[in-house]
Amino acid sequence: MSLMGELIQKAIALGVPLTAHVDLTYRCNERCEHCYLDHDDKGEMSFEEISGVLAQLADAGVLFLILSGGEPMLRRDFFDIVARARALLFNVKVKTNAVLVRTAEAQRLRALGVEQMQVSVYSHRPEIHDAVTKLPGSLRRTIEGIRALRAAGLKVAVANVMMRSNLADRQAVAAMARELGATYSADPTVTPMMDGDRSVLDLRIDGSELHNLFQDKDLVGDPEAFCAPPPPVGDDERNAAPCSAGHSSCYISPYGDVFPCVQFPLPSGNVRAQNFLDIWRHSPQLLEVRSIRTGDLPVCSSCAHLGTCTRCPGLAWTEGNMRGPSSADCEKSFYRTGVPSANMLARGLTSFPSGIAETGLAAFPPAGHRGIGLIQIAPLRQTAA
C-alpha cells in the first residue's frame, strides 16, 4: 500500500476528515457543456464565513484542501482565501480553467505556497475546446495561464474530461501537457446535474471507446495487467469502506452545504447553521454512509469485481440507492476486464449492447476513491524549475 493509502486508512480508522473540497463559487467565466452546476450566485459565503470554516476544518484535522468552483478566481477575495488557508498550514490544490492567470497571479500563487494547480483542457484544437467551454479564445488563454504557472515554478495537472466531441483529441492533449511540463489525467466523467437533470449524460463516450482507452499503454501502462480478470475477493475487501467519501473526505458548497463528496450530493448539514466538526461527527447522513462496508452491499458484495471496482456510492445514490450498484462503474469494470459484473448478471446481461446501461459511462470516481481512479500520464520533462 502507498504512503497516501496508509494515511487514508488511518484517517478512516480515527474518523479524521483528511481532505476537504471547498467550492468557493459556482459562478464561472465558461459555460462548459458537461458542467453539472447552476452558475447563478444564490448567496455565497463571505470571506469571514469561509475563513471561519477553514479554521474549523483545521481543528477537525483536515490536511489537504481543494479550492474549486465554478471558477474560484472570479472571487475578488480569492488570494485572501488562499493566504488564510496557507496560514492554517493546509496543503492547497486549486482547480481552475486558468483563463484569469497571468504572470502576476502565477507568481502570487507560488509565493503563497500552493501545492498544485489543476487546469481543465478539452482539446488542443481551439474549435473543439472553445465549443466545449462556450468561451471564444478560452484555449489560448488557458494555455497562456499554464505557461505562466509553470514559469513561476508551480506544479500543473492538466485534466481532460473526455466526451464524444473531444475523445479523438486525447493523445494530442496528453502530448501538449507534456510539452507544457504538466501531468495529464484522462477522465471520462460526465455526471448528472446537481438538480438531477440527466440529459447531460448524452455527452458520454460509448463503452466500446472505453475498451479502447483501457488498451492504450500510454495511458494505463501495461494493458495486459490493467485489464486482467479480477483476483479472488478476500475479507479485507469485504470489510473495506466503499469509498473515502464521508470517511476521510468531504465536500462543502459555496453556500455552506456539506456533502460526503462533490459526486455524492447527499445533504448532510450546513456550516452556516452548525460547526463543521459537529456535522462531521454526528450528521445522520454521514453516519449512515460510514456504516456501510463493501460486504454489506446487496448486489456488489457477490461481485467478482468487489476488490477492484471503482464503484462510486454517489453515482449509485443518484441511481436511487447508495447501497446499490453504479451501472456506470459496472460498465467500466466489464470493458476493462471482459468479466460481467454481478449487477449485469442479475439483469441477464453478459455484455453491454449500445445504450443498454441505465446511465451509460457516467463517471470515473474522484481522486482518493478506493481502487482504480483517474488515468494519468506524468510529464516527460519539466520546462520550468
Side-chain angles (χ1 to χ4, degrees):
M1 181 182 293
S2 67
L3 179 61
M4 180 57 71
E6 291 183 11
L7 187 60
I8 291 172
Q9 290 302 315
K10 289 182 179 179
I12 291 174
L14 296 172
V16 174
L18 190 64
T19 302
H21 177 153
V22 180
D23 276 350
L24 303 180
T25 181
Y26 284 160
R27 291 175 290 128
C28 194
N29 46 9
E30 297 180 336
R31 289 292 183 272
C32 296
E33 61 181 354
H34 62 289
C35 186
Y36 53 85
L37 297 175
D38 175 352
H39 295 300
D40 294 332
D41 180 0
K42 294 182 172 64
E44 298 168 0
M45 288 188 288
S46 66
F47 172 77
E48 289 73 21
E49 287 178 303
I50 291 175
S51 181
V53 170
L54 293 180
Q56 293 175 34
L57 293 175
D59 289 342
V62 172
L63 295 180
F64 303 101
L65 180 68
I66 301 168
L67 298 178
S68 184
E71 173 46 58
M73 295 185 69
L74 284 178
R75 285 193 63 127
R76 294 178 183 271
D77 56 5
F78 169 73
F79 287 104
D80 294 330
I81 293 171
V82 175
R84 172 64 170 156
R86 290 295 297 128
L88 291 167
L89 302 181
F90 290 114
N91 177 293
V92 176
K93 179 167 76 173
V94 176
K95 294 186 176 183
T96 176
N97 56 38
V99 166
L100 299 177
V101 174
R102 293 297 176 265
T103 299
E105 290 79 11
Q107 291 177 345
R108 191 169 182 185
L109 288 163
R110 174 59 189 268
L112 287 169
V114 170
E115 173 67 18
Q116 185 188 68
M117 302 291 290
Q118 180 177 306
V119 182
S120 299
V121 179
Y122 305 108
S123 174
H124 65 298
R125 295 183 289 167
E127 64 270 23
I128 301 298
H129 177 94
D130 295 1
V132 171
T133 66
K134 298 181 173 61
L135 178 65
S138 57
L139 178 60
R140 172 183 57 80
R141 295 169 66 182
T142 290
I143 292 176
E144 289 173 356
I146 293 174
R147 292 190 189 280
L149 292 168
R150 290 296 301 126
L154 281 156
K155 290 186 285 187
V156 176
V158 166
N160 180 16
V161 176
M162 292 184 300
M163 298 166 282
R164 293 175 184 270
S165 62
N166 67 341
L167 178 61
D169 293 347
R170 61 181 171 81
Q171 292 180 333
V173 175
M176 183 176 69
R178 288 167 167 156
E179 179 62 27
L180 292 168
T183 58
Y184 170 83
S185 63
D187 183 3
T189 300
V190 179
T191 59
M193 298 282 291
M194 291 193 79
D195 63 6
D197 183 358
R198 305 181 73 83
S199 62
V200 69
L201 298 183
D202 291 341
L203 299 170
R204 65 185 183 265
I205 63 174
D206 293 330
S208 58
E209 295 291 354
L210 181 61
H211 173 76
N212 294 334
L213 183 69
F214 288 151
Q215 300 302 314
D216 189 334
K217 65 179 181 180
D218 289 334
L219 286 172
V220 305
D222 181 358
E224 185 174 344
F226 189 74
C227 299
V233 176
D235 289 341
D236 287 347
E237 287 81 11
R238 296 187 184 282
N239 294 326
C243 175
S244 61
H247 291 267
S248 64
S249 63
C250 65
Y251 165 67
I252 302 177
S253 81
Y255 314 123
D257 297 308
V258 178
F259 303 91
C261 172
V262 70
Q263 280 190 186
F264 197 163
L266 173 68
S268 304
N270 188 289
V271 292
R272 282 173 159 167
Q274 270 183 289
N275 182 279
F276 170 78
L277 198 53
D278 287 340
I279 297 171
W280 179 256
R281 289 177 174 171
H282 306 299
S283 162
Q285 294 82 9
L286 292 179
L287 290 176
E288 181 181 7
V289 169
R290 289 187 203 122
S291 71
I292 302 171
R293 292 295 179 266
T294 55
D296 301 329
L297 303 174
V299 176
C300 299
S301 60
S302 63
C303 186
H305 295 285
L306 185 67
T308 58
C309 179
T310 55
R311 174 190 172 275
C312 174
L315 291 175
W317 186 79
T318 64
E319 289 188 34
N321 183 0
M322 73 171 76
R323 290 175 172 79
S326 160
S327 59
D329 292 307
C330 292
E331 188 175 12
K332 182 167 46 138
S333 291
F334 171 72
Y335 280 111
R336 182 172 60 84
T337 66
V339 177
S341 70
N343 183 35
M344 292 173 60
L345 296 174
R347 295 162 60 191
L349 299 175
T350 56
S351 65
F352 270 100
S354 178
I356 196 67
E358 291 175 3
T359 59
L361 177 61
F364 264 27
H369 192 289
R370 183 180 61 85
I372 300 164
L374 304 183
I375 302 173
Q376 298 186 348
I377 298 178
L380 294 180
R381 62 185 177 89
Q382 300 293 324
T383 56

